[in-house]
Amino acid sequence: MSENPDHTEHGNAAIARSGEILRTEVGSGLHGIAIAGTDDHDEMGVFIEPPECAVGLRGPMNHYVWRTQPEGHRSSHGDTDLVMYSLRKFLKLAIAGNPTILLPLFAPEASVYTATDLGAELRDLAPAFLSQRAVERFVGYLDGQTDRLLNRGQGSMPNRPELVEQYGYDVKYASHALRLGLQGLEIAEHARLTLPMPDADRQRVLHVKSGGVAELDTVLAEIASIRARIVALLESGATALPAEPDTDRISAWSIDAHRRHWHSHHGF
């Protein structure tokens, strides 16, 4: 992927690639809501840092980024955006319930591009990350997308004025908010995250994303209704989710995973 001299690249590619344990599709394609001819291709990976970065004095390498487009240019159809996180950084973000970070843990096998034995073990840990805290993060991200949709807050102006001109509102922001609500509700109700989205939910999000809902107020009302259902589940204690992720289990596995990787790759 380094043939285009105008691409964007941050971080040490050699460290990220040599330590890679997991890489999957993320983004609209994974959710099942990509629209042919319009969406780019997103991937996320996880790598284990060498000892000199994790425990030595070289300093941590938290992530590596590669994008088809040059810095400051928006990705478009046919472009690839790849972000790779060190295992330590990935686990911190996943424990916090970051909706995007959780995706590689639940991606179907067809969307998994690389999975070493350690990568497979990480995916097996997926249920340990789901918690009420994660659901709260989904609600927070939903609110953020809604604020951008409504131009609320500093720096929240739509970056897709062509969609506003065509449909009357930014249908991508609206579809993202709706998707986050539906996925947060699924986690709260069933302690799972289905990818791609269940068909009825997927079709509803696609309907909004493709401009099929003319009135913004209609979309906002649905988003608000789903959000209220999530909050009610959390506040009533009706969800089976634990309050927090199983950090002890995740941390113990991380320590062991680093030891095994360093032993096999660095002779430690």
Side-chain angles (χ1 to χ4, degrees):
M1 289 193 299
S2 60
E3 296 178 358
N4 181 357
D6 297 322
H7 67 260
T8 298
E9 187 170 21
H10 299 291
N12 188 312
I15 289 178
R17 294 296 190 180
S18 64
E20 183 179 53
I21 63 170
L22 179 65
R23 180 165 48 88
T24 78
E25 182 179 16
V26 292
S28 296
L30 180 61
H31 295 298
I33 56 172
I35 297 177
T38 64
D39 287 285
D40 60 355
H41 176 74
D42 298 304
E43 298 181 11
M44 183 179 294
V46 182
F47 63 91
I48 293 183
E49 301 160 278
E52 60 267 26
C53 291
V55 295
L57 299 180
R58 181 171 179 173
M61 179 182 155
N62 289 326
H63 66 276
Y64 168 75
V65 174
W66 193 99
R67 296 181 58 246
T68 303
Q69 290 293 329
E71 194 76 52
H73 289 249
R74 197 170 73 197
S75 297
S76 58
H77 174 61
D79 292 336
T80 294
D81 289 356
L82 166 67
V83 59
M84 300 181 69
Y85 292 97
S86 71
L87 177 59
R88 293 187 301 152
K89 181 68 172 181
F90 177 87
L91 293 179
K92 289 177 182 178
L93 293 171
I95 286 171
N98 183 299
T100 302
I101 295 294
L102 291 173
L103 297 178
L105 301 176
F106 295 91
E109 290 297 330
S111 298
V112 177
Y113 303 132
T114 299
T116 66
D117 289 345
L118 290 177
E121 290 177 17
L122 174 58
R123 281 167 51 80
D124 287 342
L125 278 174
F129 292 89
L130 294 184
S131 66
Q132 294 179 43
R133 186 202 298 188
V135 175
E136 290 168 355
R137 287 298 297 275
F138 273 76
V139 173
Y141 274 65
L142 178 159
D143 290 342
Q145 292 294 319
T146 304
D147 285 344
R148 292 182 178 92
L149 175 62
L150 298 175
N151 300 337
R152 294 192 302 223
Q154 185 177 2
S156 62
M157 291 295 291
N159 61 8
R160 293 176 286 261
E162 70 279 6
L163 296 181
V164 177
E165 181 178 356
Q166 182 175 1
Y167 300 111
Y169 62 96
D170 191 320
V171 292
K172 281 199 172 182
Y173 278 144
S175 67
H176 288 324
L178 179 59
R179 170 184 59 78
L180 286 161
L182 291 168
Q183 290 178 327
L185 183 61
E186 181 188 21
I187 296 172
E189 287 184 331
H190 305 294
R192 66 172 185 250
L193 177 60
T194 303
L195 295 170
M197 298 179 72
D199 192 60
D201 291 348
R202 184 178 64 84
Q203 292 295 339
R204 182 58 183 159
V205 173
L206 272 173
H207 190 52
V208 172
K209 186 178 180 181
S210 60
V213 181
E215 297 296 329
L216 173 58
D217 286 347
T218 302
V219 183
L220 291 174
E222 183 171 10
I223 293 169
S225 175
I226 294 169
R227 187 188 190 283
R229 290 171 62 188
I230 296 172
V231 172
L233 282 169
L234 294 177
E235 291 183 346
S236 67
T239 176
L241 287 171
E244 300 290 336
D246 191 346
T247 53
D248 289 343
R249 179 184 173 196
I250 295 167
S251 181
W253 175 83
S254 176
I255 294 169
D256 185 58
H258 279 83
R259 285 174 174 165
R260 284 185 283 152
H261 179 83
W262 291 343
H263 177 74
S264 62
H265 288 73
H266 302 278
F268 278 69

